[in-house]
Structure formats: structure tokens, C-alpha cells
Amino acid sequence: MESASAAETAALPKGTPLLKDELDIVIPTIRNLDFLEMWRPFFEPYHLIIVQDGDPSKTIKVPDGFDYELYNRNDINRILGPKASCISFKDSACRCFGYMMSKKKYIFTIDDDCFVAKDPAGKPVNALEQHIKNLLSPSTPFFFNTLYDPFREGTDFVRGYPFSLREGVPTAVSHGLWLNIPDYDAPTQLVKPAERNTRYVDMVLTIPKGTLFPMCGMNLAFDRHLIGPAMYFGLMGDGQPIGRYDDMWAGWCTKVICDHLGLGVKTGLPYIFHSKASNPFVNLKKEYKGIFWQEEIIPFFQAVTLPKDCTTVQKCYIELSKQVKDKLSKVDPYFDKLADAMVTWIEAWDELNPAAGSGVPNGKAT
């Protein structure tokens, strides 16, 4: 059963950019954005929010013809004041500042080393269009459909699927995948340095309720109105004891909140081509503590329950921050600091997005 917005989108003339005025593309970077040239056919109609990491005096060049705004660390400090402490420095987690500054309903975020993939027939993959299709169709987190996403063209619910659950729930997150360089942790990189992902699986599925997943931020889209305040990529990078867990932290927080509010998360298509392997020794230094900590972090999230009066993403996130402080601070004092930053993030989000803090319940289709 299509949502109204999906039906309206399907009625658009062929070639019309989907959600042109309702979606921002957020890109964290430390370099010139030459990679946008290959994305031009797909990205040029949209507004870009570029979050420059590292040295703010460095000039980042953006190819002509793109509509964009660019923020560096000086802008973050100016806009957020003391609350700028919640935005990571020298880590791709800085991208979540772009989520906060956007005023659009949808966000697509991509890394600057992600190129256009080709499907098995050799056709360039419009990743953005597929993400939009995922977000505009419902999810089915409460009962698994063995033909995967029943809302894709050419498929449906299988025999035995309860009719009472076939309407689905709003999709909050669309998690895309990658060809070429796999998204591995440092130990796996070190033992499989030459491994490349060439397997294109033509599939989208809803991650079931109660199941966590390792979210990758390099090819990700989400409904900012439904889940935006939970998409905080944490405190990582400069001055912090951990890196490369920013997107996964956001994914764990987001998933337990989606489960609580009755929202869906899809994974699978679209693919991008991940062009560049990061240094596994540098990665190991960043990930080292996280590799140990995750063995306690994941059981924590698996056991999290949120009270019924947590009816908005903000309320859920503040409650989650309390539980992080209560349960994870014994793992390391860093989690005390992270829990405080989670609260600061929500305060900053509500200051910049006052309507979002009005207490209107999230998790309702708009």
C-alpha cells in the first residue's frame, strides 16, 4: 500500500528530480569536491550542505553549477557557541552539523570517496533516486517477508503474511551499500587487504524490530522529520579516545528509537562505488578501544527499553542519554562525556529547529 507521497511521486513526469525541494545532500570533506562531477546528473538539481572538517582556513573548491552552502569549524563555533562542543572535529562525524542546519524533510549523506556504481548490466546507479524510493515506501519491521521488500515493483507479500500488518509503517532510514572497498574494521582490513566486494545483490529489506545493525554513514538517507534528532554521530576524532564508531553509534541509537516509535529501517540497494581504502593501521589506532567497548555497548542497546511517555525522538534520545550515563560510564569515563554531549546535541537541535521541539509526536506519517 503506497503512501500518498509515494503515489504523488510516481505521477511525476519522467525525468523530474524526485523531492527536489524537500531533500538536502550532506557531504563532510577535507578536500576539493571534484568527485561531484560524476554525480552531476543526479545531484545538480538538489541543494548541498558541505561540512568542512579540519583547518577552516583551507579553501574547499566545489565544481561550478551546484547549489550549496559550506560550513567550516569557525561557522560551527559561531552558530552553536558553547554547544559547538557536541560536534566532532577531525572526524566525518562533523557531518551531523549539516543535519541540524538543514530545513528539509529528507537528508542524503555521502562521503567524498564514493563514486557512481554500475549495476550488473553496466548502467550507472542513481543512488539518490533509490534512497528516495526506499523512504517513500513503507517498512515491515514486525513480520519478515521472505521476498524481502514487498513494496518493490514486481513483488508482494507472501502467503501467510498477516493482512493486519501489510500496511507497514513509515520508513525513517534507508541504508545503502558499497561495491569495491568493503566497509571493514581494521583487523579485517589487515587480514584481507586485497578483498573487494564485487557482489551486487538486487535486494532491499526491512531490518526486523529488535535487531541492531552496523550503520555505515557513507551512503545513507533518512527522513529528518521522523528521526533527525537521533542521527547524532557522537563525539569522535580529535581529543576523543575513539573514532570510526560515529555512524554505528548513531545507528544503534536510531534503531532502538525507531523500534520504540514504530518506524522502519531499510537496507540494501542502492550501491555506490567506494573508491579508496583507508589506512588499516591508522584505523586500528582509532578503533582500538571501540573493538573492546562494543562487546558491552551492543548488549546495552539490545537491553534498552524506553518508557511509554517517550513519544518524540527528542524525549527518547534524552532518556537514552540517561541510560548511557547510568550503564556505560562504568565501561569508561568517555561515556559520561558522550551522554552529556547527547543532551547538548538535542538542546542545539531544538534551538535551530524550534518546531521540532514542540512536543509533536514523531513516528506518524506526514
Side-chain angles (χ1 to χ4, degrees), residues 196-270:
R196 297 295 179 264
N197 181 35
T198 58
R199 193 162 163 257
Y200 185 105
V201 181
D202 186 14
M203 181 177 80
V204 177
L205 59 86
T206 297
I207 300 174
K209 183 180 180 182
T211 301
L212 296 172
F213 74 111
M215 189 172 83
C216 173
M218 74 171 96
N219 173 25
L220 179 72
F222 59 93
D223 186 322
R224 188 175 166 278
H225 288 181
L226 286 181
I227 201 64
M231 278 289 178
Y232 176 47
F233 277 45
L235 279 181
M236 305 279 158
D238 198 45
Q240 309 304 333
I242 184 174
R244 285 175 54 84
Y245 273 82
D246 52 334
D247 43 8
M248 289 184 287
W249 179 263
W252 296 326
C253 292
T254 294
K255 185 59 166 63
V256 298
I257 292 173
C258 281
D259 285 353
H260 175 75
L261 294 175
L263 299 169
V265 177
K266 292 189 178 188
T267 188
L269 301 179

Side-chain angles (χ1 to χ4, degrees), residues 155-171:
T155 188
D156 210 327
F157 292 96
V158 296
R159 180 171 56 90
Y161 200 101
F163 284 88
S164 59
L165 295 177
R166 292 191 182 193
E167 187 176 348
V169 301
T171 301

Side-chain angles (χ1 to χ4, degrees), residues 54 63 82 117 155 165 185 258 260 272 291-292 337:
T155 188
L165 295 177
D185 52 39
C258 281
H260 175 75
I272 49 86
I291 290 168
F292 293 98
K337 189 177 176 185

